[in-house]
Amino acid sequence: MNEKMKGIVTVFVDIDDTLWWFTENSKLALRHTFDAFDISSVCTYERFKEVYLKKNLELWNLYHHGLIDKDFLVNERFRFTLKECGYKGDVEKMCHLLDEEYLRFLALQPTTIPGARQLLEYLVAKGYDVNTLSNGFQGTQQQKLISGGLSDLIHRNVLSDDCGITKPQRGIFDYALEQCGADAATTVMIGDNPDADIKGAHDAGWRTIYFNIRGLDPIEGTADAVVTSLDEIQQIL
């Protein structure tokens, strides 16, 4: 066990791109949605994907910091993409249809990050209280865990939708502790986002394990441990 992790009782794990492979599953969902609504009559899939992914990332960064709300995010990402790609129909109606189908199909995908179930099984067997903490949406996050075959290993699934506060804001971390009857001093956060997961948890007084899946350096002084595979966490906790 890593010396910095002594005394840990409660583990919170991010869902998207930490347990459930959002990056890979979202590619399938976006392609499915593009085909389902025949957007090929408007633009190529490559163009559609390029515009969507750039805008979606920008919007999620704003959402993490409470600068936009969920409704704006889910409408704007497809509304902007449709307009940018030259869609001539009812953009407002179509963006709702696209997002609804995208989220439905996305949540049904089963692909998890390599080692995700093995990590959760290890943590549960070691006696940790294992929970998830996510900025994702009600109605999709629990289904992702079910689709990925992980839900039986999670005690509580705490979401920003539950409290109206998003990571990295301090409030959601305090809320998560309250929900699980946990203490910051004996809690660790495992996540792939150096800002939302790691800096947010660090600033809330938690210990942190940064899952560096994208090769991005953690924000200085915020990560107690850094791993590039989930398997490595078994040597830390």
mmCIF file of all heavy atoms in Angstrom, residues 11-16 19 129-146 150-151 153-163 167 172 175-176 179-180:
data_model
loop_
_atom_site.group_PDB
_atom_site.id
_atom_site.type_symbol
_atom_site.label_atom_id
_atom_site.label_comp_id
_atom_site.label_asym_id
_atom_site.label_seq_id
_atom_site.Cartn_x
_atom_site.Cartn_y
_atom_site.Cartn_z
ATOM 1 N N VAL A 11 -13.916 4.848 -1.018
ATOM 2 C CA VAL A 11 -13.374 5.082 -2.359
ATOM 3 C C VAL A 11 -14.498 5.584 -3.262
ATOM 4 O O VAL A 11 -15.559 4.973 -3.346
ATOM 5 C CB VAL A 11 -12.781 3.789 -2.958
ATOM 6 C CG1 VAL A 11 -12.269 4.046 -4.374
ATOM 7 C CG2 VAL A 11 -11.666 3.239 -2.069
ATOM 8 N N PHE A 12 -14.242 6.709 -3.910
ATOM 9 C CA PHE A 12 -15.131 7.194 -4.965
ATOM 10 C C PHE A 12 -14.387 7.077 -6.294
ATOM 11 O O PHE A 12 -13.207 7.424 -6.388
ATOM 12 C CB PHE A 12 -15.524 8.659 -4.738
ATOM 13 C CG PHE A 12 -16.561 8.855 -3.686
ATOM 14 C CD1 PHE A 12 -16.200 9.115 -2.373
ATOM 15 C CD2 PHE A 12 -17.912 8.773 -3.996
ATOM 16 C CE1 PHE A 12 -17.154 9.289 -1.387
ATOM 17 C CE2 PHE A 12 -18.880 8.949 -3.017
ATOM 18 C CZ PHE A 12 -18.503 9.209 -1.708
ATOM 19 N N VAL A 13 -15.091 6.584 -7.306
ATOM 20 C CA VAL A 13 -14.506 6.404 -8.627
ATOM 21 C C VAL A 13 -15.364 7.137 -9.643
ATOM 22 O O VAL A 13 -16.595 7.040 -9.632
ATOM 23 C CB VAL A 13 -14.422 4.906 -9.012
ATOM 24 C CG1 VAL A 13 -13.559 4.732 -10.262
ATOM 25 C CG2 VAL A 13 -13.877 4.061 -7.866
ATOM 26 N N ASP A 14 -14.730 7.900 -10.513
ATOM 27 C CA ASP A 14 -15.436 8.517 -11.632
ATOM 28 C C ASP A 14 -15.936 7.415 -12.563
ATOM 29 O O ASP A 14 -15.374 6.307 -12.583
ATOM 30 C CB ASP A 14 -14.471 9.450 -12.376
ATOM 31 C CG ASP A 14 -15.111 10.097 -13.581
ATOM 32 O OD1 ASP A 14 -16.181 10.700 -13.427
ATOM 33 O OD2 ASP A 14 -14.542 9.991 -14.684
ATOM 34 N N ILE A 15 -16.960 7.689 -13.341
ATOM 35 C CA ILE A 15 -17.520 6.672 -14.243
ATOM 36 C C ILE A 15 -16.911 6.776 -15.647
ATOM 37 O O ILE A 15 -16.241 5.858 -16.113
ATOM 38 C CB ILE A 15 -19.057 6.789 -14.316
ATOM 39 C CG1 ILE A 15 -19.678 6.464 -12.947
ATOM 40 C CG2 ILE A 15 -19.611 5.828 -15.395
ATOM 41 C CD1 ILE A 15 -21.178 6.646 -12.889
ATOM 42 N N ASP A 16 -17.143 7.897 -16.316
ATOM 43 C CA ASP A 16 -16.763 8.021 -17.730
ATOM 44 C C ASP A 16 -15.253 8.097 -17.910
ATOM 45 O O ASP A 16 -14.579 8.981 -17.364
ATOM 46 C CB ASP A 16 -17.419 9.258 -18.346
ATOM 47 C CG ASP A 16 -18.925 9.094 -18.463
ATOM 48 O OD1 ASP A 16 -19.374 7.989 -18.813
ATOM 49 O OD2 ASP A 16 -19.653 10.073 -18.204
ATOM 50 N N LEU A 19 -14.101 4.029 -15.362
ATOM 51 C CA LEU A 19 -14.647 2.666 -15.299
ATOM 52 C C LEU A 19 -15.264 2.263 -16.636
ATOM 53 O O LEU A 19 -14.959 1.211 -17.187
ATOM 54 C CB LEU A 19 -15.707 2.579 -14.199
ATOM 55 C CG LEU A 19 -15.233 2.723 -12.752
ATOM 56 C CD1 LEU A 19 -16.437 2.743 -11.818
ATOM 57 C CD2 LEU A 19 -14.272 1.595 -12.370
ATOM 58 N N ASP A 129 -15.535 0.900 1.139
ATOM 59 C CA ASP A 129 -16.865 1.325 0.721
ATOM 60 C C ASP A 129 -16.705 1.967 -0.653
ATOM 61 O O ASP A 129 -16.144 3.060 -0.774
ATOM 62 C CB ASP A 129 -17.441 2.327 1.731
ATOM 63 C CG ASP A 129 -18.820 2.818 1.357
ATOM 64 O OD1 ASP A 129 -19.493 2.134 0.555
ATOM 65 O OD2 ASP A 129 -19.230 3.883 1.849
ATOM 66 N N VAL A 130 -17.174 1.294 -1.691
ATOM 67 C CA VAL A 130 -16.900 1.701 -3.076
ATOM 68 C C VAL A 130 -18.122 2.390 -3.687
ATOM 69 O O VAL A 130 -19.212 1.820 -3.743
ATOM 70 C CB VAL A 130 -16.502 0.481 -3.934
ATOM 71 C CG1 VAL A 130 -16.188 0.917 -5.355
ATOM 72 C CG2 VAL A 130 -15.307 -0.240 -3.315
ATOM 73 N N ASN A 131 -17.919 3.619 -4.159
ATOM 74 C CA ASN A 131 -18.987 4.434 -4.724
ATOM 75 C C ASN A 131 -18.508 5.094 -6.011
ATOM 76 O O ASN A 131 -17.304 5.168 -6.267
ATOM 77 C CB ASN A 131 -19.392 5.536 -3.732
ATOM 78 C CG ASN A 131 -19.659 4.987 -2.347
ATOM 79 O OD1 ASN A 131 -20.737 4.514 -2.054
ATOM 80 N ND2 ASN A 131 -18.652 5.044 -1.468
ATOM 81 N N THR A 132 -19.436 5.596 -6.790
ATOM 82 C CA THR A 132 -19.077 6.397 -7.959
ATOM 83 C C THR A 132 -19.498 7.842 -7.719
ATOM 84 O O THR A 132 -20.453 8.119 -7.001
ATOM 85 C CB THR A 132 -19.735 5.874 -9.252
ATOM 86 O OG1 THR A 132 -21.150 5.772 -9.070
ATOM 87 C CG2 THR A 132 -19.162 4.525 -9.637
ATOM 88 N N LEU A 133 -18.768 8.755 -8.346
ATOM 89 C CA LEU A 133 -19.067 10.193 -8.264
ATOM 90 C C LEU A 133 -18.884 10.773 -9.652
ATOM 91 O O LEU A 133 -17.777 10.746 -10.194
ATOM 92 C CB LEU A 133 -18.127 10.871 -7.260
ATOM 93 C CG LEU A 133 -18.319 12.374 -7.055
ATOM 94 C CD1 LEU A 133 -19.735 12.683 -6.570
ATOM 95 C CD2 LEU A 133 -17.291 12.919 -6.060
ATOM 96 N N SER A 134 -19.972 11.272 -10.229
ATOM 97 C CA SER A 134 -19.955 11.631 -11.647
ATOM 98 C C SER A 134 -20.747 12.895 -11.934
ATOM 99 O O SER A 134 -21.758 13.180 -11.289
ATOM 100 C CB SER A 134 -20.545 10.470 -12.465
ATOM 101 O OG SER A 134 -20.711 10.823 -13.819
ATOM 102 N N ASN A 135 -20.291 13.643 -12.938
ATOM 103 C CA ASN A 135 -21.038 14.785 -13.462
ATOM 104 C C ASN A 135 -22.025 14.366 -14.542
ATOM 105 O O ASN A 135 -22.708 15.207 -15.117
ATOM 106 C CB ASN A 135 -20.087 15.832 -14.054
ATOM 107 C CG ASN A 135 -19.425 16.695 -12.997
ATOM 108 O OD1 ASN A 135 -19.778 16.643 -11.829
ATOM 109 N ND2 ASN A 135 -18.442 17.480 -13.402
ATOM 110 N N GLY A 136 -22.065 13.078 -14.839
ATOM 111 C CA GLY A 136 -22.997 12.593 -15.864
ATOM 112 C C GLY A 136 -24.445 12.698 -15.405
ATOM 113 O O GLY A 136 -24.734 13.066 -14.271
ATOM 114 N N PHE A 137 -25.360 12.324 -16.297
ATOM 115 C CA PHE A 137 -26.770 12.607 -16.092
ATOM 116 C C PHE A 137 -27.537 11.424 -15.497
ATOM 117 O O PHE A 137 -27.251 10.266 -15.789
ATOM 118 C CB PHE A 137 -27.431 12.991 -17.424
ATOM 119 C CG PHE A 137 -26.727 14.111 -18.137
ATOM 120 C CD1 PHE A 137 -26.586 14.077 -19.508
ATOM 121 C CD2 PHE A 137 -26.190 15.185 -17.437
ATOM 122 C CE1 PHE A 137 -25.939 15.104 -20.192
ATOM 123 C CE2 PHE A 137 -25.531 16.205 -18.096
ATOM 124 C CZ PHE A 137 -25.417 16.173 -19.485
ATOM 125 N N GLN A 138 -28.531 11.770 -14.663
ATOM 126 C CA GLN A 138 -29.469 10.755 -14.189
ATOM 127 C C GLN A 138 -30.120 10.115 -15.411
ATOM 128 O O GLN A 138 -30.397 10.753 -16.403
ATOM 129 C CB GLN A 138 -30.566 11.396 -13.325
ATOM 130 C CG GLN A 138 -30.138 11.718 -11.923
ATOM 131 C CD GLN A 138 -31.254 12.364 -11.123
ATOM 132 O OE1 GLN A 138 -32.240 12.823 -11.692
ATOM 133 N NE2 GLN A 138 -31.090 12.434 -9.816
ATOM 134 N N GLY A 139 -30.398 8.824 -15.310
ATOM 135 C CA GLY A 139 -31.031 8.134 -16.420
ATOM 136 C C GLY A 139 -30.030 7.520 -17.377
ATOM 137 O O GLY A 139 -30.392 6.643 -18.163
ATOM 138 N N THR A 140 -28.780 7.976 -17.332
ATOM 139 C CA THR A 140 -27.770 7.367 -18.190
ATOM 140 C C THR A 140 -26.632 6.748 -17.381
ATOM 141 O O THR A 140 -26.127 5.698 -17.737
ATOM 142 C CB THR A 140 -27.179 8.383 -19.194
ATOM 143 O OG1 THR A 140 -26.573 9.459 -18.479
ATOM 144 C CG2 THR A 140 -28.250 8.931 -20.113
ATOM 145 N N GLN A 141 -26.213 7.396 -16.290
ATOM 146 C CA GLN A 141 -25.039 6.907 -15.572
ATOM 147 C C GLN A 141 -25.263 5.540 -14.931
ATOM 148 O O GLN A 141 -24.397 4.670 -15.003
ATOM 149 C CB GLN A 141 -24.570 7.926 -14.527
ATOM 150 C CG GLN A 141 -24.074 9.247 -15.108
ATOM 151 C CD GLN A 141 -23.008 9.082 -16.164
ATOM 152 O OE1 GLN A 141 -23.318 8.848 -17.328
ATOM 153 N NE2 GLN A 141 -21.753 9.198 -15.764
ATOM 154 N N GLN A 142 -26.419 5.347 -14.286
ATOM 155 C CA GLN A 142 -26.690 4.039 -13.696
ATOM 156 C C GLN A 142 -26.805 2.974 -14.785
ATOM 157 O O GLN A 142 -26.330 1.845 -14.625
ATOM 158 C CB GLN A 142 -27.969 4.075 -12.858
ATOM 159 C CG GLN A 142 -28.317 2.762 -12.163
ATOM 160 C CD GLN A 142 -27.275 2.315 -11.150
ATOM 161 O OE1 GLN A 142 -26.543 3.129 -10.598
ATOM 162 N NE2 GLN A 142 -27.189 1.014 -10.910
ATOM 163 N N GLN A 143 -27.412 3.335 -15.913
ATOM 164 C CA GLN A 143 -27.543 2.378 -17.008
ATOM 165 C C GLN A 143 -26.181 2.012 -17.582
ATOM 166 O O GLN A 143 -25.950 0.869 -17.984
ATOM 167 C CB GLN A 143 -28.440 2.947 -18.111
ATOM 168 C CG GLN A 143 -28.673 1.989 -19.277
ATOM 169 C CD GLN A 143 -29.289 0.674 -18.843
ATOM 170 O OE1 GLN A 143 -30.319 0.667 -18.174
ATOM 171 N NE2 GLN A 143 -28.676 -0.453 -19.205
ATOM 172 N N LYS A 144 -25.253 2.962 -17.639
ATOM 173 C CA LYS A 144 -23.899 2.650 -18.104
ATOM 174 C C LYS A 144 -23.254 1.583 -17.231
ATOM 175 O O LYS A 144 -22.609 0.653 -17.728
ATOM 176 C CB LYS A 144 -23.032 3.911 -18.100
ATOM 177 C CG LYS A 144 -23.370 4.934 -19.165
ATOM 178 C CD LYS A 144 -22.523 6.190 -18.961
ATOM 179 C CE LYS A 144 -22.867 7.275 -19.958
ATOM 180 N NZ LYS A 144 -22.085 8.509 -19.712
ATOM 181 N N LEU A 145 -23.410 1.725 -15.912
ATOM 182 C CA LEU A 145 -22.833 0.750 -14.985
ATOM 183 C C LEU A 145 -23.481 -0.621 -15.164
ATOM 184 O O LEU A 145 -22.811 -1.654 -15.096
ATOM 185 C CB LEU A 145 -22.999 1.235 -13.546
ATOM 186 C CG LEU A 145 -22.215 2.502 -13.174
ATOM 187 C CD1 LEU A 145 -22.609 2.975 -11.783
ATOM 188 C CD2 LEU A 145 -20.708 2.265 -13.254
ATOM 189 N N ILE A 146 -24.786 -0.627 -15.409
ATOM 190 C CA ILE A 146 -25.496 -1.883 -15.657
ATOM 191 C C ILE A 146 -25.018 -2.502 -16.969
ATOM 192 O O ILE A 146 -24.693 -3.695 -17.036
ATOM 193 C CB ILE A 146 -27.024 -1.647 -15.689
ATOM 194 C CG1 ILE A 146 -27.530 -1.247 -14.296
ATOM 195 C CG2 ILE A 146 -27.760 -2.901 -16.179
ATOM 196 C CD1 ILE A 146 -28.961 -0.745 -14.282
ATOM 197 N N LEU A 150 -21.058 -3.579 -14.068
ATOM 198 C CA LEU A 150 -20.330 -3.085 -12.905
ATOM 199 C C LEU A 150 -21.230 -2.697 -11.734
ATOM 200 O O LEU A 150 -20.742 -2.493 -10.619
ATOM 201 C CB LEU A 150 -19.500 -1.850 -13.296
ATOM 202 C CG LEU A 150 -18.516 -2.002 -14.451
ATOM 203 C CD1 LEU A 150 -17.881 -0.653 -14.775
ATOM 204 C CD2 LEU A 150 -17.446 -3.036 -14.132
ATOM 205 N N SER A 151 -22.516 -2.585 -11.971
ATOM 206 C CA SER A 151 -23.410 -1.976 -10.981
ATOM 207 C C SER A 151 -23.482 -2.751 -9.666
ATOM 208 O O SER A 151 -23.721 -2.165 -8.609
ATOM 209 C CB SER A 151 -24.821 -1.809 -11.562
ATOM 210 O OG SER A 151 -25.366 -3.068 -11.920
ATOM 211 N N LEU A 153 -21.205 -3.930 -7.970
ATOM 212 C CA LEU A 153 -20.040 -3.688 -7.127
ATOM 213 C C LEU A 153 -19.999 -2.260 -6.580
ATOM 214 O O LEU A 153 -19.053 -1.887 -5.884
ATOM 215 C CB LEU A 153 -18.759 -3.958 -7.930
ATOM 216 C CG LEU A 153 -18.584 -5.421 -8.375
ATOM 217 C CD1 LEU A 153 -17.500 -5.531 -9.434
ATOM 218 C CD2 LEU A 153 -18.260 -6.312 -7.183
ATOM 219 N N ILE A 154 -21.034 -1.477 -6.871
ATOM 220 C CA ILE A 154 -21.091 -0.083 -6.451
ATOM 221 C C ILE A 154 -22.112 0.083 -5.339
ATOM 222 O O ILE A 154 -23.263 -0.329 -5.468
ATOM 223 C CB ILE A 154 -21.465 0.831 -7.640
ATOM 224 C CG1 ILE A 154 -20.464 0.674 -8.794
ATOM 225 C CG2 ILE A 154 -21.569 2.283 -7.193
ATOM 226 C CD1 ILE A 154 -19.058 1.074 -8.461
ATOM 227 N N HIS A 155 -21.681 0.695 -4.231
ATOM 228 C CA HIS A 155 -22.587 0.941 -3.112
ATOM 229 C C HIS A 155 -23.561 2.066 -3.434
ATOM 230 O O HIS A 155 -24.770 1.890 -3.400
ATOM 231 C CB HIS A 155 -21.764 1.274 -1.859
ATOM 232 C CG HIS A 155 -22.585 1.476 -0.628
ATOM 233 N ND1 HIS A 155 -22.099 2.095 0.489
ATOM 234 C CD2 HIS A 155 -23.871 1.142 -0.332
ATOM 235 C CE1 HIS A 155 -23.040 2.139 1.423
ATOM 236 N NE2 HIS A 155 -24.120 1.564 0.946
ATOM 237 N N ARG A 156 -23.014 3.246 -3.756
ATOM 238 C CA ARG A 156 -23.848 4.389 -4.122
ATOM 239 C C ARG A 156 -23.295 5.049 -5.383
ATOM 240 O O ARG A 156 -22.096 5.163 -5.552
ATOM 241 C CB ARG A 156 -23.888 5.430 -3.000
ATOM 242 C CG ARG A 156 -24.783 5.048 -1.832
ATOM 243 C CD ARG A 156 -24.918 6.230 -0.867
ATOM 244 N NE ARG A 156 -25.819 5.921 0.227
ATOM 245 C CZ ARG A 156 -25.455 5.292 1.351
ATOM 246 N NH1 ARG A 156 -24.199 4.899 1.500
ATOM 247 N NH2 ARG A 156 -26.327 5.062 2.313
ATOM 248 N N ASN A 157 -24.226 5.508 -6.229
ATOM 249 C CA ASN A 157 -23.875 6.234 -7.444
ATOM 250 C C ASN A 157 -24.283 7.685 -7.222
ATOM 251 O O ASN A 157 -25.452 8.037 -7.345
ATOM 252 C CB ASN A 157 -24.614 5.613 -8.636
ATOM 253 C CG ASN A 157 -24.273 6.271 -9.958
ATOM 254 O OD1 ASN A 157 -23.229 6.898 -10.103
ATOM 255 N ND2 ASN A 157 -25.166 6.139 -10.932
ATOM 256 N N VAL A 158 -23.330 8.530 -6.849
ATOM 257 C CA VAL A 158 -23.615 9.925 -6.528
ATOM 258 C C VAL A 158 -23.388 10.784 -7.772
ATOM 259 O O VAL A 158 -22.313 10.743 -8.380
ATOM 260 C CB VAL A 158 -22.720 10.418 -5.367
ATOM 261 C CG1 VAL A 158 -23.058 11.868 -5.021
ATOM 262 C CG2 VAL A 158 -22.883 9.524 -4.142
ATOM 263 N N LEU A 159 -24.394 11.574 -8.137
ATOM 264 C CA LEU A 159 -24.352 12.354 -9.369
ATOM 265 C C LEU A 159 -24.511 13.841 -9.104
ATOM 266 O O LEU A 159 -25.185 14.243 -8.146
ATOM 267 C CB LEU A 159 -25.471 11.910 -10.316
ATOM 268 C CG LEU A 159 -25.497 10.449 -10.747
ATOM 269 C CD1 LEU A 159 -26.742 10.185 -11.574
ATOM 270 C CD2 LEU A 159 -24.241 10.101 -11.527
ATOM 271 N N SER A 160 -23.924 14.652 -9.978
ATOM 272 C CA SER A 160 -24.110 16.095 -9.877
ATOM 273 C C SER A 160 -25.586 16.458 -10.024
ATOM 274 O O SER A 160 -26.046 17.434 -9.421
ATOM 275 C CB SER A 160 -23.276 16.814 -10.942
ATOM 276 O OG SER A 160 -23.607 16.364 -12.239
ATOM 277 N N ASP A 161 -26.319 15.687 -10.807
ATOM 278 C CA ASP A 161 -27.761 15.928 -10.951
ATOM 279 C C ASP A 161 -28.491 15.831 -9.621
ATOM 280 O O ASP A 161 -29.540 16.453 -9.435
ATOM 281 C CB ASP A 161 -28.373 14.895 -11.918
ATOM 282 C CG ASP A 161 -28.398 15.385 -13.352
ATOM 283 O OD1 ASP A 161 -27.943 16.513 -13.605
ATOM 284 O OD2 ASP A 161 -28.871 14.637 -14.222
ATOM 285 N N ASP A 162 -27.972 15.042 -8.685
ATOM 286 C CA ASP A 162 -28.634 14.849 -7.396
ATOM 287 C C ASP A 162 -28.594 16.101 -6.523
ATOM 288 O O ASP A 162 -29.485 16.329 -5.708
ATOM 289 C CB ASP A 162 -27.975 13.706 -6.615
ATOM 290 C CG ASP A 162 -28.083 12.362 -7.320
ATOM 291 O OD1 ASP A 162 -29.033 12.188 -8.114
ATOM 292 O OD2 ASP A 162 -27.226 11.496 -7.081
ATOM 293 N N CYS A 163 -27.530 16.899 -6.681
ATOM 294 C CA CYS A 163 -27.357 18.046 -5.785
ATOM 295 C C CYS A 163 -27.265 19.383 -6.516
ATOM 296 O O CYS A 163 -27.217 20.433 -5.880
ATOM 297 C CB CYS A 163 -26.108 17.848 -4.919
ATOM 298 S SG CYS A 163 -24.561 17.723 -5.846
ATOM 299 N N LYS A 167 -18.570 18.597 -10.190
ATOM 300 C CA LYS A 167 -17.121 18.585 -9.973
ATOM 301 C C LYS A 167 -16.486 19.578 -10.952
ATOM 302 O O LYS A 167 -16.923 19.628 -12.086
ATOM 303 C CB LYS A 167 -16.547 17.180 -10.253
ATOM 304 C CG LYS A 167 -17.073 16.068 -9.388
ATOM 305 C CD LYS A 167 -16.467 14.714 -9.767
ATOM 306 C CE LYS A 167 -16.908 14.222 -11.131
ATOM 307 N NZ LYS A 167 -16.361 12.880 -11.477
ATOM 308 N N ILE A 172 -20.103 19.412 -4.304
ATOM 309 C CA ILE A 172 -20.465 18.038 -4.660
ATOM 310 C C ILE A 172 -19.648 17.021 -3.872
ATOM 311 O O ILE A 172 -20.136 15.945 -3.526
ATOM 312 C CB ILE A 172 -20.332 17.781 -6.183
ATOM 313 C CG1 ILE A 172 -20.956 16.420 -6.534
ATOM 314 C CG2 ILE A 172 -18.883 17.867 -6.642
ATOM 315 C CD1 ILE A 172 -21.038 16.133 -8.015
ATOM 316 N N TYR A 175 -21.214 16.925 -0.474
ATOM 317 C CA TYR A 175 -22.488 16.209 -0.614
ATOM 318 C C TYR A 175 -22.264 14.704 -0.679
ATOM 319 O O TYR A 175 -22.980 13.931 -0.039
ATOM 320 C CB TYR A 175 -23.208 16.703 -1.871
ATOM 321 C CG TYR A 175 -24.458 15.930 -2.211
ATOM 322 C CD1 TYR A 175 -25.665 16.189 -1.565
ATOM 323 C CD2 TYR A 175 -24.442 14.932 -3.197
ATOM 324 C CE1 TYR A 175 -26.820 15.484 -1.875
ATOM 325 C CE2 TYR A 175 -25.581 14.226 -3.514
ATOM 326 C CZ TYR A 175 -26.774 14.500 -2.853
ATOM 327 O OH TYR A 175 -27.913 13.791 -3.163
ATOM 328 N N ALA A 176 -21.259 14.284 -1.434
ATOM 329 C CA ALA A 176 -20.959 12.853 -1.571
ATOM 330 C C ALA A 176 -20.597 12.244 -0.224
ATOM 331 O O ALA A 176 -21.030 11.125 0.104
ATOM 332 C CB ALA A 176 -19.824 12.652 -2.566
ATOM 333 N N GLN A 179 -23.781 11.772 1.799
ATOM 334 C CA GLN A 179 -24.596 10.667 1.305
ATOM 335 C C GLN A 179 -24.066 9.309 1.743
ATOM 336 O O GLN A 179 -24.832 8.361 1.928
ATOM 337 C CB GLN A 179 -24.683 10.714 -0.226
ATOM 338 C CG GLN A 179 -25.461 11.887 -0.771
ATOM 339 C CD GLN A 179 -26.883 11.931 -0.259
ATOM 340 O OE1 GLN A 179 -27.669 11.017 -0.485
ATOM 341 N NE2 GLN A 179 -27.233 12.988 0.454
ATOM 342 N N CYS A 180 -22.763 9.212 1.894
ATOM 343 C CA CYS A 180 -22.141 7.929 2.215
ATOM 344 C C CYS A 180 -21.680 7.835 3.670
ATOM 345 O O CYS A 180 -21.077 6.833 4.062
ATOM 346 C CB CYS A 180 -20.962 7.674 1.274
ATOM 347 S SG CYS A 180 -21.460 7.542 -0.460
#
